[in-house]
Structures are given as structure tokens and as C-alpha cells.
Amino acid sequence: MRLAKYLAAAGVASRRKAEKIIAAGRVAVGGNTVTVPQYRITEEDQVTVDGRAVRLPEKKEYLLLDKPAGYLSTVSDPHGRPTVLELIGPSPARLYPVGRLDLDTTGLLLLTDDGELAFRLTHPRFGVEKKYRAWVKGVPPPAVLTRMGQGMLLEDGPTAPATVRLLRRSRGSAVLEISLCEGRKRQVKRMCAAAGYPVRRLRRTGFAFLTAAGLESGTYRRLSEAEVRRLYRLVGLAAPMP
Ligand code: URA
């Protein structure tokens, strides 16, 4: 990579400004001052600006998994139960799940080693929507759906407004779609139980703009750069370096 491009990718300055910094003799490669912006460097080269080391940001990983039931959304389990990381296989990145799905919940789970993005995607302040499909016992009438959407009092406080829709009904059971911007422990199950309609099966079908389209249960895919940039924008972060 050319030196000026490297400095720009490392976030030192824009490419144009980096060229000026180099021309001014402020940049050294392997301890030797280099004043040519086109100078080519390799991965092993030590680059300094004004004597301070400059490094490229580490490449982060962003994986979208369709979690099957029976896997814990943790990195490891003291009891040796299977975790979602076993579905990913060995990775040099220190991946962890963004938020949690219960052992028996299926569906979308993002895994990354990008701590700031993970924090913002799960914190209710940033309002990122997660969509669930809940198979419940009983058929809640419209008034109950409205009440669930307006906010329910759970033991850890009232829930924020949510969107709750009846997707299907049959004798004695129903399928609901519930969209939340919070992610409290077992929140969907507790909301439904508190309303009198216990969840029999739960699946996360949406995470921000991401869906499980093209994914099979137990498989994952890498997010595209455009998807990562879109997630960054969604939570008010400056786009990561290409
Ligand atoms: N709400 C729940 O009750 N369980 C989950 O796994 C996710 C959301």
C-alpha cells in the first residue's frame, strides 16, 4: 500500500493532507524518514508520524447466524452445553453475540468483535428494532394486543412501546409479530405470559433491517460492507474504514 493511503486508512488525515504530512518529513518507515507519498510499504513496516506509531484499524468481523434451538447465546458454558460459537467454527476474531436469545429461541443473531457497534445495537437508547414471531397459547383479542403494544408492567419495570400484530389465529392458538427496541431478558415471553398468552415457540425474524432471507437454520453469513455501514449509520457512528 502507498504510504499516503496507509496514513489515510489509519485515520491520521485525509489522503491529500497525508501527502503534505509526508512531504514535510514528519513520517518515518522503519525509523527512516520518507518524504515520498507514493512510497510503498508492506504489512511488516513500522510507520510513525512525529515519532508516534501508526497502525491500521483491525478488520472487524460481522456474522449473521440463524440460531437453532438448543444452543446458548454465550461464548462458553461452564456446563459444556453447545454454544452458538460452535456453529461458527474456529475464527481468529474474538466473536461474541450481540444480545441474547434464549436456549429454545431460534432466529437471527449477530456475532461480532466490534464492541462499540454491539453496545449501540443492543442499548434501548439507540432504538434498533428487533422483530419476533411468537407462537402463543390462546388467541389474544385486539384490546390485549393494544395493551401489550402500549407497554406492560413487568417485574423489572414497564416495557417501552412496542408494535404487536396478530399474524394468524387458529383454534386455541395464535401467531404474533412483536417488534421491540429493548432487549430485556426473556422480554417477549414475559410480556406474553403477563398478558395471559404463554409463548410456545419464539423466533427472531428481524434485527434492524436484517432478515433471515437466504439463511438456513444453523448457518451464517458475513455481512456485506454496505450492511455494516448501514448499521453504523443507524446507531450514529461514523462509517468504518473500508
Ligand atoms: N424475548 C424472549 O423472551 N426470549 C428471547 O430469546 C428473545 C426475546
Side-chain angles (χ1 to χ4, degrees):
M1 189 188 286
R2 286 168 209 262
L3 188 54
K5 185 174 176 187
Y6 178 91
L7 293 185
V12 171
S14 68
R15 187 94 67 96
R16 180 84 57 83
K17 211 150 173 221
E19 288 173 359
K20 290 195 178 134
I21 292 172
I22 296 165
R26 293 168 57 193
V27 179
V29 179
N32 303 310
T33 302
V34 173
T35 53
V36 185
Q38 295 80 14
Y39 184 88
R40 283 192 170 271
I41 56 160
T42 65
E43 267 175 43
E44 293 85 56
D45 280 329
Q46 300 277 345
V47 179
T48 58
V49 176
D50 300 330
R52 255 183 273 141
V54 168
R55 273 182 211 93
L56 288 181
E58 278 170 50
K59 189 128 179 52
K60 302 279 188 199
E61 283 270 32
Y62 306 88
L63 306 182
L64 185 65
L65 170 74
D66 190 336
K67 175 191 165 316
Y71 286 83
L72 289 168
S73 302
T74 52
V75 171
S76 63
D77 180 51
H79 305 294
R81 291 172 294 177
T83 73
V84 287
L85 280 192
E86 289 165 36
L87 297 165
I88 306 298
S91 163
R94 294 170 62 99
L95 293 170
Y96 45 86
V98 178
R100 295 266 165 100
L101 292 178
D102 298 333
L103 185 67
D104 59 350
T105 301
T106 65
L108 290 182
L109 188 64
L110 198 61
L111 294 116
T112 185
D113 53 352
D114 185 333
E116 183 59 25
L117 182 67
F119 169 75
R120 292 187 181 216
L121 288 172
T122 47
H123 198 289
R125 174 154 52 103
F126 298 96
V128 176
E129 190 179 81
K130 289 97 189 175
K131 198 176 272 179
Y132 296 89
R133 192 160 291 195
W135 285 257
V136 300
K137 185 164 180 276
V139 181
V144 170
L145 300 179
T146 305
R147 188 154 53 85
M148 287 174 73
Q150 284 169 342
M152 310 216 29
L153 188 58
L154 301 179
E155 66 210 16
D156 52 353
T159 62
T163 309
V164 183
R165 292 199 303 138
L166 181 73
L167 290 185
R168 275 201 304 276
R169 53 180 298 172
S170 56
R171 214 177 310 140
S173 68
V175 185
L176 307 182
E177 185 178 77
I178 301 175
S179 302
L180 304 176
C181 295
E182 310 179 279
R184 290 198 234 158
K185 214 165 181 232
R186 302 184 64 249
Q187 183 166 347
V188 173
K189 290 178 187 166
R190 289 192 292 136
M191 283 171 68
C192 292
Y197 300 87
V199 171
R200 287 169 162 165
R201 195 177 136 206
L202 186 62
R203 174 170 172 77
R204 181 148 71 188
T205 55
F207 188 101
F209 54 86
L210 298 166
T211 70
L215 276 183
E216 277 176 38
S217 176
T219 67
Y220 69 91
R221 69 172 177 87
R222 256 188 192 84
L223 295 191
S224 68
E225 279 183 19
E227 287 172 326
V228 174
R229 277 199 299 273
R230 204 168 152 196
L231 287 177
Y232 263 67
R233 274 203 304 276
L234 198 62
V235 296
L237 281 173
M241 289 290 169

